[in-house]
Amino acid sequence: MHTLYAAQRAGSFVVEALLHHTGEPYRVAEAPPWEAGPHRDELARVNPLMQVPTLVLPDGTVMTESAAIVLHLADCHPQAGIVPPADAPERAVFLRWLLYLVGSVYPTFTVADDPTRWVSGTDAQEELVRRTSAYRCGLWRQVEEAAKATPWFLGERFSAIDLYLAVMVTWQPRRPWFAEHAPKLTAIADRCTADPRFAPVVARNGMA
Ligand SMILES: N[C@@H](CCC(=O)N[C@@H](CS)C(=O)NCC(=O)O)C(=O)O
């Protein structure tokens, strides 16, 4: 049995959806790092970064970093269609944009969600949030440009990127911004959240 430390509508949604999709046995430990409670001590014990998703494998191995978990689950379930196989034409594009989402877009939240970690003084903190948010919008415009959305990010082939988009369009700058500036990403996210394969996980995350 896997244990997934998760928070509703967080990046853990991607891992939860893939565990469900692949049929892996798992339990969810709801552990929103930004809320007080005993779950914070438990999360800190397995992941000193205090981030979700954190996945404890059946043998006790701890995995953090959503992209690493995605690639691990794809290795375990090559038929599940999570990641294009090595000889697929979409493989290079998939790897580029998977790493872009987790390596470029995701860290803007690490910075802007709690600016008190990085600078002191209200003015500096507001400025940091403002600039980081503007930078993030530029990143999303590039993702929008790269999206095929016919019907998925990569085109005909579904992949884990579609699950990232499903949850990330619910984050800042929020759905109305995406609807206006990123219609392809919005369409992919809507398609993904309406996909019956992920329905229970979409519902548990309050994304229905
Ligand atoms: N690089 C990590 C980022 C994980 C992450 O930032 N998760 C957010 C929730 S969506 C979190 O736990 N934030 C709390 C914090 O960073 O203190 C990944 O891809 O899994």
Side-chain angles (χ1 to χ4, degrees), residues 10-11 33-34 50-53 65-66 102 106 117 171:
W34 42 84
M50 293 278 290
Q51 290 185 335
V52 294
E65 303 306 324
S66 56
V102 299
Y106 219 146
R117 280 177 183 163
W171 303 349

Side-chain angles (χ1 to χ4, degrees), residues 148-160:
K148 288 208 161 60
T150 55
W152 303 111
F153 180 82
L154 296 174
E156 288 291 311
R157 189 190 284 273
F158 171 82
S159 74

Side-chain angles (χ1 to χ4, degrees), residues 105-179:
V105 181
Y106 219 146
T108 66
F109 294 95
T110 312
V111 171
D113 282 357
D114 185 2
T116 62
R117 280 177 183 163
W118 315 106
V119 286
S120 52
T122 313
D123 288 352
Q125 286 159 4
E126 283 176 6
E127 177 76 352
L128 181 61
V129 171
R130 204 177 52 71
R131 288 189 186 217
T132 307
S133 304
Y135 179 76
R136 182 194 299 136
C137 288
L139 297 178
W140 277 125
R141 287 177 201 275
Q142 289 182 43
V143 183
E144 170 72 6
E145 205 170 305
K148 288 208 161 60
T150 55
W152 303 111
F153 180 82
L154 296 174
E156 288 291 311
R157 189 190 284 273
F158 171 82
S159 74
I161 287 179
D162 303 305
L163 291 166
Y164 275 96
L165 295 176
V167 72
M168 289 178 99
V169 304
T170 70
W171 303 349
Q172 290 286 354
R174 306 279 184 211
R175 274 194 158 271
W177 185 92
F178 283 97

Side-chain angles (χ1 to χ4, degrees), residues 38-73:
H39 64 266
R40 283 176 58 89
D41 293 339
E42 198 183 329
L43 181 59
R45 266 197 299 278
V46 283
N47 180 2
L49 263 184
M50 293 278 290
Q51 290 185 335
V52 294
T54 295
L55 184 67
V56 183
L57 305 184
D59 70 358
T61 303
V62 175
M63 287 196 81
T64 64
E65 303 306 324
S66 56
I69 298 170
V70 164
L71 295 172
H72 169 72
L73 290 174

